[in-house]
Amino acid sequence: MAPANEVDMSIDYYELLAIPANASESEIRRAYRKTSLLYHPDKVKPTPENLDKFQLLQTAINILTDSAEKAKYDQNREAKQRRKAENAALESRRRTMKEDLERREKDGGGLGFIPSVNGQKRTWSDRELEIKRIAEENRKRREDAVKAKTQEAQTQAQAEEKPTESLERSVKVRWIREGDGLDIDADALEEAFAAGQVENVLMLKDKKRRIEGRDKKVLLGTAVIIFKSLAMAKKAVVQGPWEGIESIAWAAEKGDDT
């Protein structure tokens, strides 16, 4: 399914699927299957509201399972949330400043009225208050920028480390694309194991190969199953289930993928 050309950023697709923003692809697909049943035209009355909701779910699964589209959506979503947080913080500071000024003016001192050298009281001008407000906002923005840059660096470092770590707990499997093998896909591979064991399943391109006992090349399906821990991956390699699977190998090991 191709992602929609335009994404409505007023819709939070993670909230729509009731999943966290760091959910894995398998968790996204599982949430989609569960939620879509509530609005599927074949399952419920196809009212305009249900059809609109079902269409939103289609857009959500298209966007969140396409790595490039998901990256763009996540970036825009994070920017929107950051702007919302900044506006909320700014409004909070304005409200606090206003309340403080009103309190000080009521008390006859502080920022509302300040004694001068000759003992007379004067009020701060609107210009002076505006300068102080802008200075405070600029200071807060600089602090937020430093925090955002630090967080971005940490996220990037984690992203660079994750592929290697994920590969070590990943298993590559192949099966013949005929008979029952035609029904093997990412969902089938994930559902073959207990809930919580598989983090993700990556489907690779089918290839024709020669196998023992066959005169002609056969079409082989290939996938990489990423388990949530190395221990789970080791147990799976030994115990399975591997019904219908032609070969099993560690994904981190170099092999002939030509």
Side-chain angles (χ1 to χ4, degrees):
M1 293 182 291
N5 292 328
E6 296 184 0
V7 179
D8 186 354
M9 288 308 300
S10 66
I11 304 296
D12 190 319
Y13 296 123
Y14 293 106
E15 288 186 1
L16 184 65
L17 294 174
I19 54 175
N22 61 351
S24 66
E25 182 173 339
S26 61
E27 291 171 331
I28 292 171
R29 291 186 181 278
R30 188 157 49 244
Y32 164 75
R33 291 196 297 270
K34 179 179 178 181
T35 308
S36 64
L37 292 176
L38 302 176
Y39 305 98
H40 198 290
D42 294 339
K43 302 294 183 181
V44 297
K45 183 178 180 180
T47 63
E49 292 79 9
N50 286 340
L51 292 174
D52 287 345
K53 201 64 173 286
F54 186 72
Q55 184 59 47
L56 283 177
L57 290 168
Q58 301 303 303
T59 302
I61 192 65
N62 289 346
I63 294 296
L64 299 183
T65 56
D66 183 299
S67 57
E69 292 296 324
K70 183 177 185 297
K72 288 194 297 184
Y73 174 76
D74 286 348
Q75 185 178 16
N76 290 334
R77 178 178 177 271
E78 289 169 4
K80 179 182 177 182
Q81 290 182 332
R82 188 162 54 249
R83 288 193 301 270
K84 184 177 180 180
E86 289 173 353
N87 291 337
L90 177 59
E91 183 60 31
S92 178
R93 291 198 299 274
R94 285 175 176 169
R95 186 166 57 251
T96 300
M97 180 178 290
K98 179 181 178 181
E99 292 171 353
D100 187 56
L101 285 172
E102 290 174 347
R103 179 179 59 79
R104 290 173 181 269
E105 287 174 354
K106 183 177 180 180
D107 294 341
L111 291 178
F113 290 90
I114 296 183
S116 63
V117 176
N118 59 14
Q120 294 181 342
K121 296 178 180 179
R122 72 174 180 86
T123 60
W124 281 45
S125 68
D126 290 341
R127 175 178 173 78
E128 289 172 320
L129 292 175
E130 182 66 12
I131 290 173
K132 289 182 72 63
R133 183 186 66 77
I134 292 174
E136 173 63 17
E137 289 178 1
N138 288 339
R139 181 190 65 78
K140 186 62 168 61
R141 284 198 186 97
R142 288 193 296 270
E143 291 179 353
D144 291 343
V146 171
K147 290 179 182 178
K149 192 170 183 180
T150 301
Q151 184 176 3
E152 182 179 355
Q154 292 173 343
T155 302
Q156 181 65 28
Q158 293 173 354
E160 292 173 352
E161 293 173 0
K162 187 174 181 180
T164 301
E165 189 271 336
S166 296
L167 202 59
E168 293 174 350
R169 49 187 168 85
S170 300
V171 177
K172 181 187 291 184
V173 295
R174 287 196 175 100
W175 63 95
I176 301 175
R177 281 286 191 189
E178 58 184 40
D180 292 339
L182 294 173
D183 296 328
I184 297 178
D185 57 13
D187 290 339
L189 290 170
E190 179 183 347
E191 292 170 0
F193 297 90
Q197 289 188 351
V198 177
E199 179 179 294
N200 200 0
V201 177
L202 304 178
M203 300 296 294
L204 306 184
K205 186 177 180 181
D206 293 349
K207 294 182 180 180
K208 284 190 174 182
R209 293 176 180 269
R210 291 190 181 277
I211 64 173
E212 187 177 353
R214 294 290 187 100
D215 296 331
K216 296 182 179 180
K217 289 184 177 181
V218 298
L219 187 63
L220 291 179
T222 305
V224 173
I225 306 173
I226 305 173
F227 291 89
K228 290 193 175 180
S229 72
L230 181 58
M232 291 178 182
K234 289 181 176 180
K235 182 178 179 181
V237 168
V238 175
Q239 298 182 358
W242 300 117
E243 291 83 4
I245 299 300
E246 179 72 17
S247 66
I248 307 162
W250 289 104
E253 296 177 357
K254 293 184 178 180
D256 180 15
D257 290 320
T258 58

